[in-house]
Amino acid sequence: MAGRGRTSWDAWLVGGTAAVAGLLALHSAVPNGVGRLGSLLETFLPWLGLAVPLLACVAALGRSVPGLLACPAPALVWLWMFGGMWFSSSPGPHDLTVVQHNVADDNADPAGTARALLATRAGLIAVEELTPAARPAYQGVLGASHPHRVVHGTVGLWSAYPLSDVRPVDIRPEGFPESWRRGLRATVSAPGGRVAVYVVHLPSVRLGPTGLTSAARDESATLLGTRIAADPAGRLLVVGDLNGTVQDRGLGPLTSRLHAPPRGFAFSWPADLPVARIDQVLGRGVEVTEVTALEATGSDHLPVLGRVRLR
């Protein structure tokens, strides 16, 4: 390769690796005003790490020493941000398990899905997109082992432990009908102590020609975050389909008040090829030590299992 061409090639590779490192470390600086590009980037942020081996291969094939020398920088940034999810120590003991699943309102086998959730032996089973027609199937499978139940609209909670202080949670964005009911709260008397549990399903997000349409979801997250801030419970869990990752700034008014598990990517959507975890188990005053994605059911989401230590 000619000298000038070589210099240009090296510059492009070094610039590419610097751009990847910058997007990882400074993702919050990407503006959200146009098409919510910042939220879009943050939804798939861990996957940006795949650019590193790609750039390294290109640099090796092109015999670019500067390009190869530049590759460790974005790799180290990725490890700093996400390495703990792979390399963290064993989560240790836990007091409570909760399985969370968007069961899909078009699920053709609700009883089979309920059996899969029951097989997890979780003390708490939270579901979204629960239809009136499917409700008897879930109750028929879960009712014996999880006799304590609350359903509000399309969200439900089956519990092996007694429930009290049960109430609906209104997270409707402006303009949504009163029939849109996707939030509930209950106090669970678990063996390790009482914990307030929210089961929620935030509005859907769509990707179109103008970018990400997430205004309704962001508004709902703000409403829920305000409710969480005012909740006096010392121990609190939020489980549900948030239609966003914990890195997505659109969920910031909610996720900034909660702690995410330090271990496990647990990509949950779409079920056929999971690329993002939008189904969450988050805590305040408790420690969610790990979250794990489970095998597919009849839904377009995977269930996720959270292990919780009650402090």
Side-chain angles (χ1 to χ4, degrees), residues 139-161:
Q139 178 61 19
V141 173
L142 302 175
S145 58
H146 295 69
H148 310 284
R149 179 199 66 173
V150 55
V151 174
H152 179 65
T154 57
V155 297
L157 175 66
W158 273 262
S159 173
Y161 317 112

Side-chain angles (χ1 to χ4, degrees), residues 230-258:
D231 195 312
R235 298 186 238 188
L236 184 148
L237 282 171
V238 173
V239 297
D241 176 3
L242 303 189
N243 271 304
T245 66
V246 293
Q247 289 83 24
D248 187 340
R249 73 192 66 175
L251 297 181
L254 172 63
T255 54
S256 63
R257 306 180 188 277
L258 302 164

Side-chain angles (χ1 to χ4, degrees), residues 43-117:
T43 298
F44 305 105
L45 196 60
W47 295 99
L48 196 56
L50 292 178
V52 178
L54 178 61
L55 287 166
C57 288
V58 172
L61 291 172
R63 299 179 180 179
S64 171
V65 174
L68 284 171
L69 292 176
C71 284
L76 289 172
V77 174
W78 190 93
L79 286 171
W80 170 66
M81 296 177 67
F82 301 109
M85 293 187 174
W86 267 353
F87 304 118
S88 60
S89 59
S90 172
H94 58 273
D95 307 301
L96 182 67
T97 53
V98 52
V99 66
Q100 136 62 26
H101 193 25
N102 180 327
V103 296
D105 55 13
D106 59 352
N107 192 326
D109 184 19
T113 297
R115 287 191 293 270
L117 300 180

Side-chain angles (χ1 to χ4, degrees), residues 111-290:
T113 297
R115 287 191 293 270
L117 300 180
L118 180 64
T120 66
R121 298 186 178 181
L124 299 177
I125 297 175
V127 299
E128 300 82 47
E129 293 198 11
L130 180 66
T131 65
R135 193 182 301 173
Y138 288 95
Q139 178 61 19
V141 173
L142 302 175
S145 58
H146 295 69
H148 310 284
R149 179 199 66 173
V150 55
V151 174
H152 179 65
T154 57
V155 297
L157 175 66
W158 273 262
S159 173
Y161 317 112
L163 301 178
S164 60
D165 194 20
V166 174
R167 65 185 81 161
V169 178
D170 188 357
I171 54 173
R172 288 178 302 137
E174 185 177 357
F176 278 49
E178 290 189 10
S179 59
W180 194 92
R181 295 177 293 168
R182 291 190 180 185
L184 66 83
R185 180 201 184 278
T187 298
V188 178
S189 296
R194 292 161 65 89
V195 56
V197 177
Y198 285 76
V199 182
V200 296
H201 184 191
L202 301 192
S204 298
V205 171
R206 295 288 182 264
L207 180 62
T210 59
L212 206 65
T213 56
S214 62
R217 183 209 62 183
D218 296 353
E219 182 182 347
S220 189
T222 299
L223 292 170
L224 182 57
T226 301
R227 181 69 178 265
I228 295 295
D231 195 312
R235 298 186 238 188
L236 184 148
L237 282 171
V238 173
V239 297
D241 176 3
L242 303 189
N243 271 304
T245 66
V246 293
Q247 289 83 24
D248 187 340
R249 73 192 66 175
L251 297 181
L254 172 63
T255 54
S256 63
R257 306 180 188 277
L258 302 164
H259 298 288
R263 181 182 176 92
F265 282 101
F267 297 136
S268 64
W269 179 88
D272 292 336
L273 185 64
V275 295
R277 185 172 83 233
I278 63 176
D279 301 277
Q280 307 292 350
V281 181
L282 307 173
R284 187 190 74 190
V286 301
E287 183 182 0
V288 183
T289 60
E290 183 180 30

